[in-house]
Amino acid sequence: MASPACFSSFSVPVKEKKLMEVKLGELPGWILMRDFTPKGIAGAFQRGYYRYYNKYINVKKGGVAGISMVLAAYVLFNYCRSYKELKHERLRKYH
Amino acid sequence: MNENLFASFAAPSMMGLPIVVLIVMFPSILFPTPSRLINNRLISIQQWLIQLTSKQMLAIHNQKGRTWALMLMSLILFIGSTNLLGLLPHSFTPTTQLSMNLGMAIPLWAGTVITGFRYKTKASLAHFLPQGTPLPLIPMLVIIETISLFIQPMALAVRLTANITAGHLLIHLIGGATLALINISATTAFITFIILILLTILEFAVALIQAYVFTLLVSLYLHDNT
């Protein structure tokens, strides 16, 4: 099952490699071969969610850090979203 | 400054995409589904809180009223979490939009009224006339009771909108005042103290949810169980 962009690696086709194992020259080919269908994107979100959940929240002695990181990311997202209006409130002489 | 003050209440859209949908769906991530008998700490805390609240809330209902348990609990969780998340800096609170609150209030109120009319028609109609009114006053009182019935969903929606919006607006204003007064030091400490108190009081936005669901609850109670 050799994929068309099977580069100079051993015997693993590029498609199935994880991101950290893809060599830099193979990166465009790797990105183009990812699954961009809606089902694939939903799968990616689900995998990412469970990765975070199982690492920080679904543990025996979870702390406040797990959910605080989520809230901090939420604050950051909203800040980036409203940066355009917040730009005008900087302490500068000329805006 | 006027436009600036209300800019944070505009529906957020990034590059023309309405991400208000994402923001409304965000609190659901914070309530994971319990999958075992003994879960992790987050789920255990949430389960304990939900048990506490539901026991308190469903105590006055009879069998028929308790079928609304899921609806009421999800309502209080949604409004509670949305209001609390709105207290974080720069966040958008969906419950400041009257459209959304009307969308919650009107169907739920209509559901209680229709349930009352279907299962206890005479008792529901009897609500329009309090006991012991003098005979000449009856027509006027029926009109007044009808109006007070129809104003219930409006009051529910507007109450929630106005409270949350007013709280956010005050925080903006007083925060701005504090920043402006920093160069004129003496009053700064005092103003900052007011901000602190105001924020704490605003955290009783949770109490507002209590008020919302409780009001809804009372309405359901009256219409269903007499």
Side-chain angles (χ1 to χ4, degrees), chain B residues 117-165:
Chain B
F117 274 139
R118 273 182 74 187
Y119 293 105
K120 289 195 174 184
T121 318
K122 261 198 297 185
S124 299
L125 284 172
H127 280 134
F128 285 124
L129 195 62
Q131 263 185 343
T133 58
L135 207 52
L137 281 179
I138 289 186
M140 197 180 63
L141 214 52
V142 171
I143 293 180
I144 290 181
E145 290 287 328
T146 313
I147 293 180
S148 85
L149 178 73
F150 279 99
I151 222 172
Q152 274 179 348
M154 301 295 148
L156 277 174
V158 173
R159 177 188 305 124
L160 188 58
T161 312
N163 271 296
I164 305 289
T165 313

Side-chain angles (χ1 to χ4, degrees), chain B residues 53-139:
Chain B
T53 319
S54 58
K55 273 193 189 166
Q56 175 78 13
M57 197 161 281
L58 298 168
I60 45 179
H61 284 238
N62 61 9
Q63 191 67 18
K64 186 129 191 48
R66 284 189 184 154
T67 53
W68 278 58
L70 181 62
M71 181 75 233
L72 294 175
M73 288 321 296
S74 46
L75 188 67
I76 191 174
L77 273 183
F78 174 67
I79 301 185
S81 58
T82 314
N83 289 342
L84 285 176
L85 280 177
L87 291 174
L88 292 171
H90 303 306
S91 30
F92 171 71
T93 322
T95 41
T96 52
Q97 309 296 313
L98 185 63
S99 51
M100 188 175 109
N101 294 335
L102 278 174
M104 286 196 291
I106 292 185
L108 290 170
W109 165 84
T112 65
V113 170
I114 292 177
T115 313
F117 274 139
R118 273 182 74 187
Y119 293 105
K120 289 195 174 184
T121 318
K122 261 198 297 185
S124 299
L125 284 172
H127 280 134
F128 285 124
L129 195 62
Q131 263 185 343
T133 58
L135 207 52
L137 281 179
I138 289 186

Side-chain angles (χ1 to χ4, degrees), chain A residues 53-68:
Chain A
Y53 181 66
N54 286 326
K55 181 165 183 195
Y56 287 109
I57 302 187
N58 205 10
V59 290
K60 216 184 247 179
K61 296 183 106 183
V64 68
I67 199 165
S68 317

Side-chain angles (χ1 to χ4, degrees), chain A residues 81-82 85, chain B residues 1-11 92 172:
Chain A
R81 171 183 61 81
S82 46
E85 278 87 32
Chain B
M1 184 194 138
N2 284 335
E3 192 238 59
N4 207 6
L5 202 52
F6 289 102
S8 61
F9 293 117
F92 171 71
H172 278 242

Side-chain angles (χ1 to χ4, degrees), chain A residues 11-28:
Chain A
S11 53
V12 182
V14 175
K15 180 170 185 178
E16 280 116 35
K17 283 210 256 181
K18 295 191 186 177
L19 181 57
M20 289 299 140
E21 295 161 12
V22 170
K23 300 199 192 329
L24 206 54
E26 302 168 352
L27 200 56

